[in-house]
Amino acid sequence: MVTSRLPGRPLPAVPAQRAFGGRRPGQGLLAAVVRSAGRRRVQVAGCLVAAGWAGVFPLASALPNQRLWGTVAAGAYLLAALLAAVLPRPHAGRAAALVAVVGAALVPLVLLALHGYRQSEVGVVERSARLLLHTGSPYLPHPVRVTDYDPYLPVMSLFGLPRALLGGGGGSVDSGAGGLLGLAGDARICFAAVFLLCLAAAWRLLRPYGASAAVPLTVLTASPLVALPLAVGGVDLPLIGLCCLGLALAGRGRPVSAGLVLALACALKWTAWPAVPVAAVLLWAVHGRAAAARCVMVAVTGAVAAVVPFVLAAPEAVLEQVVRFPLGLSAVRTPATSPLPGHLIACLGPGGRWACLVLLGLGGAAVAARLLYRPPLTAVQAADRLAVGLAGAFLLAPAGRFGYLALPVILALWLRLATRTGQVAAGTPRVPSARPRPSESLSATVPSR
């Protein structure tokens, strides 16, 4: 407590929290990390780490797209580190972030799109859009090769509509139309746009009176965690953005809006479905069961309405491509074979594959029990619960990639950054910190006797 008095007149005590502008000294580990990020040494070190990360790809990756990204991005990160080291302090961080996002994300994306190069996932999405327009179904009826499989739910094909409408890219899924036409119709542009808009909207919801999301979003996009998938593939980016926005809406007590956003996410990939019960438990704990029921009803109804017609039209194709193929149970093996624990166990044989599925079920049950026993009360806590569950699923799945872990990492990071310390209660509007009354302000400046 901060106390003092004027001659002959005692004044009320001022809480230490108010005396320090509404926050206790040293509040929150993340707040300290964010403050330290403004230091020149941390900025330079971060750029150098990113340059080292990018520099590995030209040497170790077998994919030409990733090698090109690593070559361009490594130089951009080194230049960003130089700017962070030599420019005056007020401008060093912003200039470094701008150079990094342009050199590591935008330039590789434009170069790859102009030459018609992309990872096969982008070609699969664009082909599914053409099939949807011409046949009414985004799935090939008799897939033979790996690239014939479409492991995504039907709404994902909408991201390929610009290419289908503008034309081009009708050949191999590994290469599309080049030139300005190829850039304008590239599905990666749509992936990135939805991702950035959703993260900006989530930031605005959770921090309506705080700083702009421009600088944090630029730094996140410039990081290899986002810049690499944005430039070469980006299929998971809209899913990440929609999950963040859905949890932010649930945290602000908007069950119908949260349900609509999560319905869209659930119609993209199965990965988004665990977000629905997490958002529902958050709403139930803070706003009551009626809000939770509205969110679940809207999310499930919307997702089912978007998916079921295609399941009824081609049930075998959907079962083979959307269920069996990602789990590694189809005749053609998925190329998602990063050496994660689940994949290593699955390589032991049929018994290992079923052991992975059992471990997945046990892990899901443990996360669900934790969710019900200690329900989240804020959007940040809900994001943490979902991030833990998804990380466990990706690690134990029979087939997976390191890139899938970007979803839980960004979930846990972005909403926490938006609320600084994660202490904003769900559904409670953030207001500026209370200022002391004139008498209290005077008492804090007059020395005690």
Side-chain angles (χ1 to χ4, degrees):
M1 307 288 286
V2 180
T3 60
S4 62
R5 63 181 179 87
L6 293 174
R9 181 182 178 186
L11 289 176
V14 181
Q17 183 175 358
R18 177 176 290 177
F20 286 94
R23 293 191 301 272
R24 296 184 184 276
Q27 182 188 33
L29 176 61
L30 183 72
V33 173
V34 171
R35 288 194 300 270
S36 69
R39 300 173 185 170
R40 190 183 299 271
R41 291 181 181 178
V42 175
Q43 293 169 353
V44 174
C47 292
L48 292 178
V49 170
W53 185 344
V56 171
F57 285 88
L59 303 175
S61 178
L63 299 176
N65 299 326
Q66 293 185 355
R67 292 201 299 268
L68 185 146
W69 174 85
T71 302
V72 176
Y77 290 135
L78 289 175
L79 179 57
L82 178 62
L83 294 178
V86 302
L87 287 181
R89 185 176 297 276
H91 309 291
R94 293 177 183 270
L98 182 60
V99 168
V101 75
V102 171
L106 297 182
V107 171
L109 172 60
V110 171
L111 288 176
L112 290 170
L114 288 176
H115 291 86
Y117 299 146
R118 70 273 181 95
Q119 287 191 181
S120 59
E121 297 95 318
V122 182
V124 168
V125 171
E126 294 177 353
R127 184 194 62 206
S128 69
R130 293 194 302 272
L131 289 172
L132 181 63
L133 291 177
H134 293 96
T135 68
S137 173
Y139 304 103
L140 288 173
H142 304 292
V144 177
R145 301 171 300 171
V146 169
T147 54
D148 292 341
Y149 283 77
D150 179 3
Y152 312 116
L153 291 172
V155 172
M156 184 69 80
S157 61
L158 298 181
F159 290 98
L161 286 179
R163 164 71 69 236
L165 296 175
L166 292 175
S172 171
V173 296
D174 296 308
S175 62
L180 294 178
L181 181 64
L183 178 62
D186 200 293
R188 285 169 290 187
I189 305 295
C190 299
F191 295 150
V194 171
F195 171 74
L196 296 175
L197 289 174
C198 287
L199 288 194
W203 181 284
R204 183 65 176 171
L205 281 166
L206 296 176
R207 199 172 180 179
Y209 305 106
S212 168
V215 173
L217 194 55
T218 301
V219 174
L220 178 65
T221 307
S223 68
L225 187 69
V226 175
L228 172 60
L230 188 150
V232 302
V235 176
D236 289 324
L237 291 181
L239 181 71
I240 297 173
L242 289 169
C243 287
C244 288
L245 180 56
L247 292 182
L249 287 166
R252 298 298 291 174
R254 302 182 184 180
V256 175
S257 299
L260 289 172
V261 170
L262 293 177
L264 182 57
C266 291
L268 295 178
K269 291 183 71 174
W270 292 116
T271 309
W273 281 84
V276 175
V278 172
V281 173
L282 168 62
L283 287 165
W284 192 331
V286 179
H287 300 284
R289 68 175 66 183
R294 287 197 297 272
C295 176
V296 172
M297 182 179 65
V298 172
V300 174
T301 302
V304 169
V307 173
V308 166
F310 300 96
V311 175
L312 296 178
E316 184 58 34
V318 174
L319 179 63
E320 175 71 11
Q321 299 183 45
V322 182
V323 179
R324 293 174 182 163
F325 181 70
L327 293 176
L329 301 177
S330 61
V332 177
R333 298 300 184 187
T334 172
T337 56
S338 295
L340 297 172
H343 175 68
L344 297 178
I345 295 174
C347 290
L348 299 177
R353 192 170 302 278
W354 286 107
C356 287
L357 299 179
V358 171
L359 290 174
L360 275 174
L362 293 176
V367 172
R370 167 77 175 179
L371 182 67
L372 296 175
Y373 178 70
R374 299 195 65 177
L377 301 178
T378 67
V380 174
Q381 293 175 3
D384 289 343
R385 303 289 199 281
L386 181 58
V388 170
L390 291 176
F394 295 148
L395 291 173
L396 295 175
R401 288 175 174 163
F402 287 113
Y404 295 165
L405 296 174
L407 172 54
V409 171
I410 295 176
L411 268 174
L413 176 64
W414 186 250
L415 299 187
R416 182 168 274 100
L417 284 176
T419 56
R420 290 198 178 186
T421 59
Q423 299 299 320
V424 178
T428 303
R430 175 183 285 273
V431 297
S433 58
R435 296 182 178 178
R437 294 188 296 271
S439 62
E440 295 172 337
S441 178
L442 182 61
S443 71
T445 58
V446 177
S448 302
R449 293 186 178 180

